[in-house]
Amino acid sequence: MGIYVNPGNGLFQMSRFSHIYVDKTMLIAKLNALYKTERRFVCVSRPRRFGKSMAANMLSAYYSCGCNSARLFAGLKIESDQTFQEHLNRHHVIRIDIQRFLDTEKSLDSFIKDIESSVVKELIIQFPQCTGFGPDSRLRGALDQIFIQVGQGFIFIIDEWDCVFRIAKKRKEKQKEYLNFLRGLLKGSEYVELAYMTGILPVKKYGEHSALNMFDEYSMIAPKNMGEYFGFTKEEVSEQCKNWKLDEEEAEKWYDGYCLGNLHIYNPKSVVDALTWKEFQSYWTGTETYEALKVYIDRNFDGLKEAVVVMIGNGRFKINTRKFQNDMTTFRTKDDVLTLLIHLGYLTFDKGPQEAYIPNREVAQEFMNAVDGPGWDGLVQALGRSESLLKSTWAMDGNAVAEGLSVIHNETASMLKYNNENSLTCVILMAYYSAKAYYINPIMELPSGKGFADVAYLPKRNMDYPALIIELKWGKSAQGAISQIKEKGYVSWVEGYTGDILLVGVNYDKEKKVHQCAIEQYQLPARAE
């Protein structure tokens, strides 16, 4: 048993017998199916504290011939899989935590050599019968000799693969040297039986191409068939909440919302802490200062602040994730910044409509902390006015709503480019920020009748509040907006809704620079007996 070559199972044992353990062992079955195939290169990226190292420890404990892990996997899901016994502790494993070799930025100058030296020294001990390499040999050369002489291959488990890009943000030469090291070690090497690599970011790209293009990537944007292993599923959280007597609905509000294909995933770190301490609060975001988020959303990219405002207002923002270069420094557009925030866990991504949004209450609080300061003048004050404006809407006081919208517009004018209906949408979402307590997330461009209503709010279950259908106009009239809702049949989308429905027309008068608002109660058609 070594530290890097054929490690033991102690780290997984601590997780396995912790007071809260969620069984993710069927990930092993997915990887067993890739063993010694063309698809044996796997890169899984997830946010910090989403179980990356635990999964790496589990895989190491399962595959490594340096330990006996049958007891640890007894009773777990993987035990019933037909491939379980075939691979259990049957393989030579090289397990490397890259972060272990990068204590400080100074380590960048020697960490590759340190990795190679540490692993080669253990290979000499593990394979004393093999010749042709020594303590100062390159790692690939040593592995080639072992494979040639005894035909032995290896399973590679590389944790925190991308920490180099977080530490060496401005040292491009070090980044390329590191990528070349990994490519030389893994690509085209018959001794690689399986390679599992994990980090926060997907594989680094230069231009449109990946330096490690043999890897299949499983990320927060493209989880493929591994989404359920990126956090806790609804069923897993439901079971734990019952076991530990925790309010399941509150857990959903606080920690759910990460969209991975057809799955909604909960933040595992936060769920475990909430189960442990029986209290709902921001556990995951508490492990890192809000400045980590603020440094990105303060960037001066055209339209970035408008996008953040839309999402703080419970809306969604369409983005292009394909240009992102998978590092923390190469930003050309707002989409690059927002894509990074998805990988960091501050946003989530709905692949169908290609939209980003804030996943849950925990992260929403972090955004509120980040925008409470210079550069976001007036936003917190504007959001604070939303409860009063919502009550004015329910009271059908169009003048009060129009006045409230004008105040919010003035408070945030320095932040938003106020010259089109998109900016008017931002103001509406800020104005109705407090609606999140009473309504499901706003539906943007609601498809109804002969067109699209701009914004719709539907009450949560068991909430006795009217549905809101909002139409926006720019330089026209508020009453004309109401007429359009009626003429184009926008209300037809909620015709099955039996509660009250308010039609809200909002217009911005470009000449007078004021808002106008008209509100009417929609009369549901009489139903035939």
Side-chain angles (χ1 to χ4, degrees):
M1 182 179 75
I3 297 174
Y4 308 106
V5 180
N6 299 331
N9 56 22
L11 292 175
F12 177 59
Q13 180 174 324
M14 286 187 276
S15 299
R16 172 68 179 91
F17 296 116
S18 291
H19 68 295
I20 297 171
Y21 174 76
V22 174
D23 186 348
K24 293 290 185 179
T25 55
M26 289 308 291
L27 171 62
I28 294 170
K30 298 280 188 185
L31 297 178
N32 285 349
L34 305 177
Y35 174 73
K36 279 192 174 182
T37 70
E38 290 292 334
R39 309 209 84 106
R40 67 192 186 279
F41 296 96
V42 175
C43 180
V44 174
S45 57
R46 343 177 187 176
R48 59 189 171 82
R49 306 305 298 273
F50 262 62
K52 296 187 297 295
S53 294
M54 195 285 287
N57 295 336
M58 175 186 72
L59 296 174
S60 181
Y62 172 73
Y63 287 116
S64 174
C65 63
C67 56
N68 184 344
S69 300
R71 180 178 68 93
L72 297 184
F73 290 97
L76 299 182
K77 294 176 183 177
I78 188 61
E79 193 179 29
S80 62
D81 187 83
Q82 63 182 1
T83 66
F84 175 66
Q85 290 294 341
E86 179 184 351
H87 296 282
L88 177 63
N89 301 132
R90 301 286 182 90
H91 299 279
H92 288 280
V93 170
I94 294 178
R95 163 82 155 91
I96 304 172
D97 182 347
I98 302 297
Q99 192 163 269
R100 184 169 183 159
F101 294 89
L102 284 169
D103 296 332
T104 65
E105 190 172 348
K106 292 180 181 179
S107 306
L108 285 168
D109 295 323
S110 63
F111 83 101
I112 294 176
K113 184 178 179 180
D114 292 342
I115 290 173
E116 293 195 287
S117 175
S118 298
V119 177
V120 169
K121 286 177 182 177
E122 291 193 12
L123 288 172
I124 292 172
I125 297 172
Q126 296 275 347
F127 297 91
Q129 73 275 36
C130 294
T131 60
F133 63 94
D136 296 325
S137 296
R138 295 297 302 271
L139 178 54
R140 174 164 184 160
L143 294 171
D144 281 337
Q145 288 300 316
I146 292 170
F147 188 77
I148 291 168
Q149 294 176 43
V150 297
Q152 183 58 61
F154 294 83
I155 289 178
F156 290 80
I157 300 173
I158 302 175
D159 196 14
E160 300 287 356
W161 90 271
D162 61 330
C163 66
V164 176
F165 300 96
R166 303 198 295 272
I167 295 173
K169 289 182 180 180
K170 297 180 180 179
R171 297 187 61 178
K172 301 293 184 183
E173 80 289 351
K174 271 300 164 194
Q175 295 179 16
K176 289 191 176 182
E177 180 186 352
Y178 172 59
L179 289 173
N180 288 335
F181 162 66
L182 290 177
R183 182 171 57 222
L185 177 65
L186 301 173
K187 189 170 185 178
S189 300
E190 195 174 351
Y191 58 69
V192 179
E193 297 175 337
L194 179 70
Y196 179 88
M197 195 163 71
T198 185
I200 293 176
L201 297 176
V203 171
K204 166 67 181 166
K205 292 190 290 187
Y206 285 101
E208 291 298 311
H209 305 287
S210 167
L212 299 172
N213 58 8
M214 67 282 200
F215 276 91
D216 282 328
E217 294 182 314
Y218 302 80
S219 70
M220 298 298 284
I221 287 174
K224 301 184 176 74
N225 63 343
M226 291 193 186
E228 64 187 286
Y229 308 112
F230 282 63
F232 291 168
T233 64
K234 181 176 180 60
E235 293 74 22
E236 289 165 344
V237 172
S238 178
E239 180 182 354
Q240 293 296 329
C241 285
K242 289 174 183 174
N243 291 342
W244 293 88
K245 296 180 173 53
L246 192 72
D247 189 319
E248 187 177 339
E249 288 189 9
E250 278 299 300
E252 181 179 355
K253 293 174 188 175
W254 275 90
Y255 311 124
D256 186 19
Y258 291 95
C259 184
L260 296 175
N262 295 324
L263 294 171
H264 269 226
I265 293 295
Y266 290 66
N267 182 317
K269 152 72 175 171
S270 298
V271 169
V272 169
D273 283 354
L275 291 168
T276 301
W277 308 117
K278 301 293 190 294
E279 184 178 352
F280 294 104
Q281 62 179 38
S282 299
Y283 294 106
W284 174 73
T285 56
T287 64
E288 188 169 275
T289 172
Y290 74 88
E291 292 292 341
L293 171 61
K294 186 175 179 63
V295 70
Y296 293 112
I297 65 174
D298 277 350
R299 287 179 177 266
N300 189 28
F301 287 113
D302 186 42
L304 177 58
K305 290 190 174 181
E306 286 89 339
V308 171
V309 167
V310 166
M311 292 184 288
I312 286 177
N314 303 308
R316 297 180 171 211
F317 197 85
K318 196 174 189 68
I319 67 171
N320 179 357
T321 63
R322 294 183 294 278
K323 298 292 185 180
F324 182 57
Q325 296 301 297
N326 295 348
D327 63 32
M328 306 181 89
T329 56
T330 309
F331 304 114
R332 297 187 179 93
T333 67
K334 66 179 182 299
D335 287 353
D336 293 335
V337 176
L338 297 175
T339 302
L340 174 62
L341 294 182
I342 293 169
H343 290 297
L344 294 177
Y346 289 109
L347 296 175
T348 190
F349 182 68
D350 190 340
K351 191 173 183 179
Q354 300 282 296
E355 293 173 336
Y357 58 98
I358 297 172
N360 52 47
R361 184 179 296 176
E362 178 179 41
V363 180
Q365 286 191 354
E366 196 73 356
F367 270 91
M368 290 300 292
N369 289 334
V371 300
D372 189 4
W376 298 89
D377 295 339
L379 178 56
V380 173
Q381 292 83 352
L383 297 176
R385 299 180 186 278
S386 64
E387 184 75 24
S388 175
L389 188 138
L390 183 59
K391 289 178 180 178
S392 295
T393 305
W394 291 336
M396 299 177 61
D397 188 342
N399 290 333
V401 171
E403 183 180 345
L405 291 174
S406 293
V407 172
I408 291 172
H409 169 199
N410 291 333
E411 287 177 335
T412 58
S414 63
M415 188 180 62
L416 301 176
K417 285 190 172 181
Y418 207 83
N419 55 10
N420 56 31
E421 288 187 24
N422 288 334
S423 295
L424 183 54
T425 300
C426 287
V427 171
I428 290 294
L429 291 172
M430 283 190 286
Y432 289 100
Y433 171 76
S434 64
K436 65 194 301 181
Y438 316 100
Y439 294 84
I440 64 175
N441 288 346
I443 302 165
M444 313 298 293
E445 295 193 335
L446 171 70
S448 305
K450 303 174 184 177
F452 296 85
D454 287 317
V455 188
Y457 288 90
L458 297 181
K460 294 179 179 179
R461 286 176 307 207
N462 304 319
M463 288 279 188
D464 188 21
Y465 295 99
L468 307 178
I469 308 295
I470 303 174
E471 180 66 19
L472 309 176
K473 291 297 178 185
W474 187 265
K476 295 181 181 177
S477 75
Q479 196 57 51
I482 294 282
S483 298
Q484 181 171 319
I485 294 174
K486 296 176 180 177
E487 291 167 5
K488 296 199 172 183
Y490 292 161
V491 181
S492 64
W493 191 85
V494 292
E495 61 185 3
Y497 176 70
T498 57
D500 292 336
I501 301 174
L502 296 182
L503 312 183
V504 182
V506 175
N507 176 61
Y508 181 67
D509 190 318
K510 297 183 292 183
E511 304 300 325
K512 298 179 181 178
K513 295 185 178 180
V514 296
H515 296 79
Q516 301 162 340
C517 178
I519 304 174
E520 291 185 12
Q521 183 168 351
Y522 180 72
Q523 299 299 320
L524 290 168
R527 296 184 181 274
E529 295 296 333

